[in-house]
Amino acid sequence: MHRAADHRTGPAGWSKAAADTLPRPLEVVSGAVEPAEAPRIPGLEVTELSWSLFDHDVLLVEGRLRTEPGLDAELLRDADHWEDAVQQAGARLARHCAETDYAFLVQQIRHFSDAKEFVDLEERDLDRPLWVTRALVLDSEGTGGEAFARRWVSDIDTEHRAQVGELIAGARPLVAQWMNHIHRPDRPGEIELSWQALRKAQFFWSAMHWVDESLRQILAWSMAESRDVSITDLRHELRATRHRAQELLMLRAEVRQHVSRRSHEEMQRFLGTWEYLELLEEPVREKVEICRERLASLAEDRAARSAMFTDIILMSIGVTSVLATAIALVQFGRDAGQDPSQSVFDLGNGSITSWLSSQSMDAILILSLMLSVVLVAVFIWKRRQSLS
């Protein structure tokens, strides 16, 4: 989904330094799903489920899960099992929200006759989420909570394992870098700031990811056989995708201006950890330039083929004119020899007229064809010189 730019201006005002209110929210619309209507997840209960539809057609689903009572203690300590379970739950919940509320929302928006002036709905494959972030609430009072927290990030890196020790000791409120997060429930303010920064970081990553995928498709399309490529359609797709990329860059600068410094630093920390610039933003810029060069090359090839086609037509006209002129001259010589009054000047039985009237049509045709072959050879030679 891509919203058209709003050119209306409002009165200038002041806001406190800690405010995170954007003049144009990233979310287009949001909603909640009753936990009872959520799909059944083995071993887990859905206590909260909500979704937010962001600009650029990014759908973010948030769910809160807890383990069902009466589960085996050994199973509760199995971090690998629960990581997979939460991954599958995220996919199911995202698909459920996409197939119910999202589909209904798209249908409602399309009912408005002027909706396209404000919203551009694109066809997306919603069967599989781009990623699932797993956030664990540290249960320091529960049996095995600390051990489970260490196991939750044990396979990531040494830095995470050290940070978990600080988290358990109360020196930090959360551990949040990659996908497996852990936080303490007794410091909600800092956790909320990090979570909102994570949402913004995921939005920018997801939106730029789709831009990158679109450019990959455009580039692959441009590399297909020339007869299968429509330069007009390619140019239209590239222009639309380039505008989306430029708007995302400007939107990130706008977010930097209006959110608090702490929130922006946290968002930048997430994007930096995920290598957003190296993996997405810089490759998108490079792909845009490659697509431009490829489009220019295709346009030059089409122009050269068009010029070649025009030259072939003109050459065919020239060959036909040679044949027609030769035959006409023979016919004229014969007619003038028989009736000199048909010409403007009385040629009588002049040498040229007599010679033309005495030639056979076959000889004239052969001479004309030989001249045509010479013209074609000269044309091909000059064309190769111009293309080399």
Side-chain angles (χ1 to χ4, degrees):
M1 175 175 289
H2 168 70
R3 289 180 293 180
D6 190 352
H7 299 287
R8 296 173 297 177
T9 58
W14 296 89
S15 61
K16 60 181 181 179
D20 277 347
T21 303
L22 297 174
R24 187 185 69 170
L26 300 178
E27 299 90 339
V28 178
V29 67
S30 59
V33 177
E34 290 294 330
E37 300 176 2
R40 176 77 171 82
I41 311 295
L44 295 171
E45 292 181 354
V46 180
T47 59
E48 295 180 18
L49 181 59
S50 61
W51 56 269
S52 299
L53 182 61
F54 284 73
D55 209 348
H56 295 268
D57 209 25
V58 175
L59 179 66
L60 189 147
V61 176
E62 296 181 59
R64 183 177 291 270
L65 310 172
R66 66 185 178 192
T67 55
E68 294 179 342
L71 294 177
D72 182 70
E74 186 68 25
L75 180 62
L76 289 173
R77 289 191 291 269
D78 189 352
D80 294 335
H81 167 78
W82 293 113
E83 182 175 345
D84 294 339
V86 173
Q87 184 83 11
Q88 296 176 12
R92 291 189 186 183
L93 297 178
R95 189 180 304 113
H96 176 76
C97 292
E99 292 175 350
T100 55
D101 289 350
Y102 176 78
F104 174 76
L105 174 67
V106 170
Q107 183 180 8
Q108 292 299 311
I109 291 177
R110 285 176 173 164
H111 278 318
F112 294 96
S113 59
D114 58 348
K116 290 185 177 180
E117 297 181 10
F118 306 99
V119 177
D120 181 20
L121 296 175
E122 301 177 5
E123 296 297 332
R124 293 288 190 205
D125 182 11
L126 298 171
D127 291 339
R128 184 176 57 184
L130 182 60
W131 57 19
V132 177
T133 299
R134 303 165 289 275
L136 172 69
V137 180
L138 177 63
D139 184 11
S140 57
E141 299 179 357
T143 304
E146 295 180 358
F148 183 77
R150 294 181 186 278
R151 184 175 172 81
W152 187 249
V153 296
S154 61
D155 295 331
I156 299 179
D157 52 39
T158 304
E159 182 182 3
H160 272 76
R161 291 192 289 272
Q163 290 178 354
V164 170
E166 298 174 1
L167 176 78
I168 293 173
R172 61 168 52 240
L174 74 160
V175 176
Q177 287 188 9
W178 292 95
M179 297 295 98
N180 282 16
H181 296 191
I182 306 176
H183 63 84
R184 299 180 63 93
D186 55 348
R187 298 169 71 173
E190 296 169 273
I191 295 167
E192 180 64 20
L193 182 143
S194 180
W195 188 256
Q196 293 303 321
L198 173 67
R199 286 167 55 93
K200 294 182 179 68
Q202 287 182 329
F203 159 72
F204 283 111
W205 178 283
S206 302
M208 193 62 78
H209 167 80
W210 290 121
V211 171
D212 185 63
E213 287 295 313
S214 299
L215 288 172
R216 287 175 185 271
Q217 295 176 6
I218 293 172
L219 194 55
W221 185 13
S222 69
M223 296 298 179
E225 293 292 335
S226 299
R227 61 178 179 273
D228 299 328
V229 178
S230 170
I231 295 181
T232 302
D233 293 342
L234 266 178
R235 188 176 289 112
H236 173 75
E237 291 293 333
L238 178 60
R239 185 184 299 112
T241 307
R242 187 174 68 247
H243 288 171
R244 288 178 57 199
Q246 291 171 343
E247 184 176 0
L248 281 172
L249 296 175
M250 292 187 294
L251 189 58
R252 197 154 72 90
E254 182 179 323
V255 169
R256 182 177 183 177
Q257 293 176 7
H258 292 91
V259 302
S260 65
R261 177 170 296 185
R262 288 184 59 198
S263 179
H264 180 260
E265 289 177 351
E266 186 72 359
M267 184 188 79
Q268 289 295 97
R269 187 177 69 82
F270 281 120
L271 293 176
T273 302
W274 302 338
E275 299 180 353
Y276 169 81
L277 292 178
E278 296 82 358
L279 297 180
L280 281 181
E281 192 167 297
E282 292 178 1
V284 162
R285 296 178 188 271
E286 293 174 359
K287 288 185 180 70
V288 168
E289 292 303 318
I290 293 173
C291 288
R292 283 178 176 172
E293 294 174 1
R294 180 58 180 161
L295 280 174
S297 176
L298 286 173
E300 291 177 0
D301 292 344
R302 291 288 173 88
R305 284 195 296 271
S306 177
M308 173 75 79
F309 184 70
T310 303
D311 291 344
I312 290 174
I313 292 176
L314 294 175
M315 184 184 66
S316 301
I317 294 174
V319 170
T320 304
S321 299
V322 169
L323 293 172
T325 302
I327 295 173
L329 285 173
V330 173
Q331 189 64 40
F332 168 75
R334 292 176 179 177
D335 293 343
Q338 295 175 3
D339 186 7
S341 64
Q342 291 186 7
S343 60
V344 177
F345 302 99
D346 186 5
L347 298 178
N349 292 323
S351 59
I352 297 178
T353 305
S354 300
W355 183 84
L356 287 173
S357 61
S358 64
Q359 302 304 312
S360 66
M361 285 294 185
D362 293 340
I364 295 300
L365 286 174
I366 292 174
L367 289 174
S368 301
L369 288 174
M370 291 178 63
L371 179 60
S372 300
V373 169
V374 172
L375 290 175
V376 170
V378 172
F379 167 78
I380 294 175
W381 175 64
K382 293 297 291 181
R383 175 57 66 181
R384 285 183 177 179
Q385 278 192 332
S386 63
L387 295 177
S388 61

PDB file of all heavy atoms in Angstrom, residues 26-41:
ATOM      1  N   LEU A  26       3.043   6.256  10.225  1.00  0.00           N
ATOM      2  CA  LEU A  26       3.440   5.192   9.320  1.00  0.00           C
ATOM      3  C   LEU A  26       2.311   4.193   9.112  1.00  0.00           C
ATOM      4  O   LEU A  26       2.177   3.610   8.036  1.00  0.00           O
ATOM      5  CB  LEU A  26       4.673   4.465   9.867  1.00  0.00           C
ATOM      6  CG  LEU A  26       5.934   5.316  10.064  1.00  0.00           C
ATOM      7  CD1 LEU A  26       7.049   4.466  10.653  1.00  0.00           C
ATOM      8  CD2 LEU A  26       6.380   5.916   8.748  1.00  0.00           C
ATOM      9  N   GLU A  27       1.495   3.996  10.148  1.00  0.00           N
ATOM     10  CA  GLU A  27       0.377   3.071  10.034  1.00  0.00           C
ATOM     11  C   GLU A  27      -0.779   3.702   9.269  1.00  0.00           C
ATOM     12  O   GLU A  27      -1.147   4.849   9.508  1.00  0.00           O
ATOM     13  CB  GLU A  27      -0.123   2.630  11.419  1.00  0.00           C
ATOM     14  CG  GLU A  27       0.885   1.903  12.261  1.00  0.00           C
ATOM     15  CD  GLU A  27       1.693   2.841  13.134  1.00  0.00           C
ATOM     16  OE1 GLU A  27       1.749   4.051  12.804  1.00  0.00           O
ATOM     17  OE2 GLU A  27       2.289   2.365  14.119  1.00  0.00           O
ATOM     18  N   VAL A  28      -1.344   2.956   8.339  1.00  0.00           N
ATOM     19  CA  VAL A  28      -2.535   3.414   7.616  1.00  0.00           C
ATOM     20  C   VAL A  28      -3.779   3.130   8.442  1.00  0.00           C
ATOM     21  O   VAL A  28      -4.651   3.982   8.608  1.00  0.00           O
ATOM     22  CB  VAL A  28      -2.626   2.724   6.241  1.00  0.00           C
ATOM     23  CG1 VAL A  28      -3.891   3.165   5.502  1.00  0.00           C
ATOM     24  CG2 VAL A  28      -1.398   3.030   5.410  1.00  0.00           C
ATOM     25  N   VAL A  29      -3.860   1.932   8.974  1.00  0.00           N
ATOM     26  CA  VAL A  29      -5.003   1.523   9.780  1.00  0.00           C
ATOM     27  C   VAL A  29      -4.564   0.340  10.627  1.00  0.00           C
ATOM     28  O   VAL A  29      -3.623  -0.384  10.282  1.00  0.00           O
ATOM     29  CB  VAL A  29      -6.207   1.146   8.882  1.00  0.00           C
ATOM     30  CG1 VAL A  29      -5.920  -0.112   8.074  1.00  0.00           C
ATOM     31  CG2 VAL A  29      -7.487   0.986   9.694  1.00  0.00           C
ATOM     32  N   SER A  30      -5.217   0.136  11.763  1.00  0.00           N
ATOM     33  CA  SER A  30      -4.873  -0.971  12.642  1.00  0.00           C
ATOM     34  C   SER A  30      -6.148  -1.569  13.211  1.00  0.00           C
ATOM     35  O   SER A  30      -7.228  -0.968  13.147  1.00  0.00           O
ATOM     36  CB  SER A  30      -3.938  -0.516  13.770  1.00  0.00           C
ATOM     37  OG  SER A  30      -4.548   0.510  14.530  1.00  0.00           O
ATOM     38  N   GLY A  31      -6.041  -2.749  13.766  1.00  0.00           N
ATOM     39  CA  GLY A  31      -7.196  -3.426  14.331  1.00  0.00           C
ATOM     40  C   GLY A  31      -6.761  -4.543  15.251  1.00  0.00           C
ATOM     41  O   GLY A  31      -5.572  -4.842  15.392  1.00  0.00           O
ATOM     42  N   ALA A  32      -7.732  -5.162  15.903  1.00  0.00           N
ATOM     43  CA  ALA A  32      -7.469  -6.246  16.845  1.00  0.00           C
ATOM     44  C   ALA A  32      -8.389  -7.424  16.538  1.00  0.00           C
ATOM     45  O   ALA A  32      -9.462  -7.262  15.955  1.00  0.00           O
ATOM     46  CB  ALA A  32      -7.669  -5.775  18.287  1.00  0.00           C
ATOM     47  N   VAL A  33      -7.934  -8.597  16.918  1.00  0.00           N
ATOM     48  CA  VAL A  33      -8.694  -9.829  16.731  1.00  0.00           C
ATOM     49  C   VAL A  33      -8.941 -10.445  18.093  1.00  0.00           C
ATOM     50  O   VAL A  33      -8.030 -10.486  18.936  1.00  0.00           O
ATOM     51  CB  VAL A  33      -7.914 -10.823  15.829  1.00  0.00           C
ATOM     52  CG1 VAL A  33      -8.689 -12.135  15.690  1.00  0.00           C
ATOM     53  CG2 VAL A  33      -7.656 -10.207  14.467  1.00  0.00           C
ATOM     54  N   GLU A  34     -10.166 -10.899  18.333  1.00  0.00           N
ATOM     55  CA  GLU A  34     -10.470 -11.560  19.591  1.00  0.00           C
ATOM     56  C   GLU A  34      -9.638 -12.836  19.718  1.00  0.00           C
ATOM     57  O   GLU A  34      -9.554 -13.617  18.775  1.00  0.00           O
ATOM     58  CB  GLU A  34     -11.954 -11.906  19.668  1.00  0.00           C
ATOM     59  CG  GLU A  34     -12.869 -10.706  19.828  1.00  0.00           C
ATOM     60  CD  GLU A  34     -12.656 -10.016  21.172  1.00  0.00           C
ATOM     61  OE1 GLU A  34     -12.281 -10.720  22.138  1.00  0.00           O
ATOM     62  OE2 GLU A  34     -12.849  -8.797  21.247  1.00  0.00           O
ATOM     63  N   PRO A  35      -8.990 -13.044  20.882  1.00  0.00           N
ATOM     64  CA  PRO A  35      -8.170 -14.253  21.043  1.00  0.00           C
ATOM     65  C   PRO A  35      -8.939 -15.543  20.769  1.00  0.00           C
ATOM     66  O   PRO A  35      -8.370 -16.519  20.266  1.00  0.00           O
ATOM     67  CB  PRO A  35      -7.723 -14.178  22.503  1.00  0.00           C
ATOM     68  CG  PRO A  35      -7.757 -12.711  22.831  1.00  0.00           C
ATOM     69  CD  PRO A  35      -8.913 -12.160  22.053  1.00  0.00           C
ATOM     70  N   ALA A  36     -10.235 -15.541  21.071  1.00  0.00           N
ATOM     71  CA  ALA A  36     -11.023 -16.756  20.845  1.00  0.00           C
ATOM     72  C   ALA A  36     -11.151 -17.072  19.354  1.00  0.00           C
ATOM     73  O   ALA A  36     -11.364 -18.228  18.965  1.00  0.00           O
ATOM     74  CB  ALA A  36     -12.410 -16.602  21.463  1.00  0.00           C
ATOM     75  N   GLU A  37     -11.022 -16.044  18.493  1.00  0.00           N
ATOM     76  CA  GLU A  37     -11.131 -16.250  17.051  1.00  0.00           C
ATOM     77  C   GLU A  37      -9.793 -16.601  16.401  1.00  0.00           C
ATOM     78  O   GLU A  37      -9.744 -16.893  15.211  1.00  0.00           O
ATOM     79  CB  GLU A  37     -11.696 -14.980  16.397  1.00  0.00           C
ATOM     80  CG  GLU A  37     -13.084 -14.599  16.909  1.00  0.00           C
ATOM     81  CD  GLU A  37     -13.559 -13.290  16.307  1.00  0.00           C
ATOM     82  OE1 GLU A  37     -12.825 -12.728  15.472  1.00  0.00           O
ATOM     83  OE2 GLU A  37     -14.666 -12.835  16.667  1.00  0.00           O
ATOM     84  N   ALA A  38      -8.712 -16.546  17.171  1.00  0.00           N
ATOM     85  CA  ALA A  38      -7.392 -16.843  16.619  1.00  0.00           C
ATOM     86  C   ALA A  38      -7.258 -18.346  16.383  1.00  0.00           C
ATOM     87  O   ALA A  38      -7.922 -19.163  17.029  1.00  0.00           O
ATOM     88  CB  ALA A  38      -6.310 -16.371  17.584  1.00  0.00           C
ATOM     89  N   PRO A  39      -6.410 -18.762  15.453  1.00  0.00           N
ATOM     90  CA  PRO A  39      -6.220 -20.193  15.195  1.00  0.00           C
ATOM     91  C   PRO A  39      -5.594 -20.897  16.391  1.00  0.00           C
ATOM     92  O   PRO A  39      -4.862 -20.303  17.180  1.00  0.00           O
ATOM     93  CB  PRO A  39      -5.275 -20.206  13.980  1.00  0.00           C
ATOM     94  CG  PRO A  39      -4.607 -18.886  13.979  1.00  0.00           C
ATOM     95  CD  PRO A  39      -5.589 -17.930  14.550  1.00  0.00           C
ATOM     96  N   ARG A  40      -5.887 -22.153  16.521  1.00  0.00           N
ATOM     97  CA  ARG A  40      -5.391 -22.960  17.632  1.00  0.00           C
ATOM     98  C   ARG A  40      -3.911 -23.271  17.436  1.00  0.00           C
ATOM     99  O   ARG A  40      -3.497 -23.741  16.381  1.00  0.00           O
ATOM    100  CB  ARG A  40      -6.199 -24.266  17.698  1.00  0.00           C
ATOM    101  CG  ARG A  40      -5.742 -25.257  18.753  1.00  0.00           C
ATOM    102  CD  ARG A  40      -6.195 -24.842  20.147  1.00  0.00           C
ATOM    103  NE  ARG A  40      -5.932 -25.893  21.112  1.00  0.00           N
ATOM    104  CZ  ARG A  40      -4.743 -26.105  21.699  1.00  0.00           C
ATOM    105  NH1 ARG A  40      -3.725 -25.344  21.375  1.00  0.00           N
ATOM    106  NH2 ARG A  40      -4.595 -27.077  22.579  1.00  0.00           N
ATOM    107  N   ILE A  41      -3.106 -22.996  18.484  1.00  0.00           N
ATOM    108  CA  ILE A  41      -1.674 -23.252  18.457  1.00  0.00           C
ATOM    109  C   ILE A  41      -1.372 -24.319  19.507  1.00  0.00           C
ATOM    110  O   ILE A  41      -1.600 -24.076  20.699  1.00  0.00           O
ATOM    111  CB  ILE A  41      -0.848 -21.980  18.751  1.00  0.00           C
ATOM    112  CG1 ILE A  41      -1.329 -20.806  17.886  1.00  0.00           C
ATOM    113  CG2 ILE A  41       0.622 -22.250  18.563  1.00  0.00           C
ATOM    114  CD1 ILE A  41      -1.119 -20.999  16.421  1.00  0.00           C
TER     115      ILE A  41
END
